[in-house]
Amino acid sequence: MAKQILGLSTQSRLATPGGGVSGTRLIVMGSPALTEGFALIGFETWPNGTEEDVDRLLEELEKGKEKALLLLEPGLSRCLSGRLSRVRAESSHILVTEVPPLHAPGDYHPAVEDLVAKVLGQSALEEKS
């Protein structure tokens, strides 16, 4: 299935104001319900993507020196992939970000909340009335 998905890799590109395409791949990996929604707005989708899929995709993007916006559900975004960590820290042409899971968006807490709590204290995250 990964080969079939990779065959679609050049179809989803970010449009430019002039009507052309920028060459930036728009990619989402996550649950089938989430990826289906992103497919409707033109994203390349990887339903049920795995950590290995993330590594293979990032390797492909790096080798091809491609620009990409990669959206990952938390399970994939927070995996222990060395390549993912390196791309986040060093790549200027691959942007990786996390999207809340579709099945429990109210339970979602971005990883940055932990950093904010460490620096500013837990009270910085509490709603003020």
Side-chain angles (χ1 to χ4, degrees), residues 5 10 12 21 30 32 42 45 57 61 70 76-77 80 84 87 90 92 98 104-105 109 112:
I5 292 171
T10 60
S12 299
V21 292
T45 61
L57 175 62
L61 293 170
L70 176 58
L76 294 173
S77 177
L80 300 176
L84 178 59
V87 163
E90 300 173 7
S92 61
E98 189 173 272
H109 299 283
V112 72

Coordinates of all heavy atoms in Angstrom, one line a residue, residues 5 10 12 21 30 32 42 45 57 61 70 76-77 80 84 87 90 92 98 104-105 109 112:
I5 N 0.6 4.7 -2.3 CA 0.5 6.0 -1.7 C 1.6 6.9 -2.3 O 1.4 8.1 -2.6 CB 0.5 6.0 -0.2 CG1 -0.8 5.3 0.3 CG2 0.6 7.4 0.4 CD1 -0.9 5.0 1.7
T10 N 3.1 13.3 -5.9 CA 3.2 14.6 -6.6 C 1.9 15.3 -6.8 O 1.9 16.4 -7.4 CB 4.0 14.4 -7.9 OG1 3.2 13.5 -8.7 CG2 5.3 13.9 -7.7
S12 N -0.6 16.4 -4.6 CA -1.1 17.4 -3.6 C 0.0 18.4 -3.4 O 0.9 18.1 -2.7 CB -1.5 16.7 -2.3 OG -2.6 15.8 -2.6
V21 N 1.7 26.2 -8.7 CA 1.9 25.4 -7.5 C 3.3 25.7 -7.0 O 4.2 26.0 -7.7 CB 1.7 23.9 -7.7 CG1 0.2 23.6 -8.0 CG2 2.5 23.4 -8.9
G30 N -2.6 9.7 9.8 CA -3.4 9.5 11.0 C -4.5 8.5 10.8 O -4.5 7.7 9.9
P32 N -8.1 6.9 9.5 CA -8.8 7.1 8.3 C -9.8 8.2 8.2 O -9.9 8.9 7.3 CB -9.4 5.7 8.1 CG -8.6 4.7 8.8 CD -8.1 5.5 10.0
G42 N -7.5 18.5 -0.5 CA -6.4 18.3 -1.4 C -5.1 17.8 -0.8 O -4.0 17.8 -1.4
T45 N -2.8 11.8 1.6 CA -3.1 11.1 2.8 C -2.5 9.8 3.0 O -2.2 9.0 2.1 CB -4.7 10.9 2.9 OG1 -5.1 10.1 1.8 CG2 -5.4 12.3 2.8
L57 N 8.9 8.3 4.6 CA 8.4 9.5 4.0 C 9.5 10.6 4.2 O 9.8 11.3 3.2 CB 7.1 10.0 4.5 CG 6.6 11.3 4.0 CD1 6.4 11.3 2.5 CD2 5.3 11.7 4.7
L61 N 11.5 12.7 1.4 CA 11.5 14.1 1.3 C 12.9 14.7 1.3 O 13.2 15.6 0.6 CB 10.6 14.7 2.4 CG 9.1 14.4 2.3 CD1 8.4 14.8 3.6 CD2 8.5 15.0 1.1
L70 N 3.8 18.5 6.8 CA 3.4 17.2 7.3 C 2.7 17.3 8.6 O 3.2 17.8 9.6 CB 4.7 16.3 7.5 CG 4.5 14.9 8.1 CD1 3.5 14.1 7.2 CD2 5.8 14.2 8.2
L76 N 1.8 9.5 16.2 CA 2.9 9.5 15.3 C 3.9 10.7 15.5 O 5.1 10.6 15.4 CB 2.4 9.6 13.8 CG 1.7 8.4 13.3 CD1 1.0 8.6 12.0 CD2 2.6 7.1 13.3
S77 N 3.3 11.8 15.9 CA 4.1 13.0 16.1 C 5.0 12.9 17.3 O 6.1 13.5 17.3 CB 3.1 14.2 16.4 OG 3.8 15.3 16.7
L80 N 9.4 8.0 18.8 CA 10.8 8.2 19.2 C 11.7 8.1 17.9 O 12.8 7.7 18.0 CB 11.2 7.1 20.2 CG 10.4 7.2 21.5 CD1 10.8 6.0 22.4 CD2 10.6 8.5 22.2
L84 N 12.7 11.9 12.7 CA 11.6 12.9 12.9 C 12.2 14.0 13.8 O 12.0 15.2 13.5 CB 10.4 12.3 13.5 CG 9.2 13.2 13.9 CD1 8.7 14.0 12.7 CD2 8.1 12.4 14.6
V87 N 14.7 16.1 11.7 CA 14.0 17.0 10.7 C 13.4 18.2 11.4 O 13.5 19.3 10.9 CB 12.9 16.2 9.9 CG1 11.9 17.1 9.2 CG2 13.6 15.2 8.9
E90 N 16.4 20.5 12.4 CA 17.3 21.0 11.4 C 16.8 21.4 10.0 O 17.4 22.1 9.3 CB 18.4 19.9 11.2 CG 19.2 19.5 12.4 CD 20.1 18.4 12.2 OE1 20.3 17.9 11.0 OE2 20.7 17.9 13.2
S92 N 14.9 23.0 7.1 CA 14.2 24.3 6.8 C 13.2 24.2 5.7 O 12.5 25.2 5.3 CB 15.3 25.3 6.3 OG 15.9 24.9 5.1
E98 N 1.5 18.8 14.6 CA 0.6 17.8 15.2 C -0.8 18.3 15.0 O -1.1 19.5 15.2 CB 1.0 17.7 16.7 CG 0.3 16.6 17.4 CD 0.8 16.4 18.8 OE1 1.8 15.7 18.9 OE2 0.3 17.0 19.7
A104 N -11.1 12.1 19.9 CA -11.1 12.7 21.2 C -10.4 14.0 21.2 O -9.5 14.2 22.0 CB -10.4 11.7 22.2
P105 N -11.0 15.0 20.5 CA -10.3 16.3 20.4 C -10.3 17.0 21.8 O -9.3 17.8 22.1 CB -11.1 17.1 19.4 CG -12.4 16.4 19.4 CD -12.2 15.0 19.7
H109 N -3.9 17.5 24.3 CA -3.0 18.5 24.9 C -1.7 18.5 24.1 O -1.0 17.6 24.1 CB -2.7 18.1 26.4 CG -4.0 18.1 27.2 ND1 -4.6 19.2 27.7 CD2 -4.7 17.0 27.7 CE1 -5.7 18.9 28.3 NE2 -5.8 17.5 28.3
V112 N 3.6 21.3 23.6 CA 4.1 22.6 24.1 C 3.5 23.0 25.5 O 4.1 23.7 26.2 CB 3.8 23.7 23.0 CG1 2.3 24.1 23.0 CG2 4.7 24.9 23.3

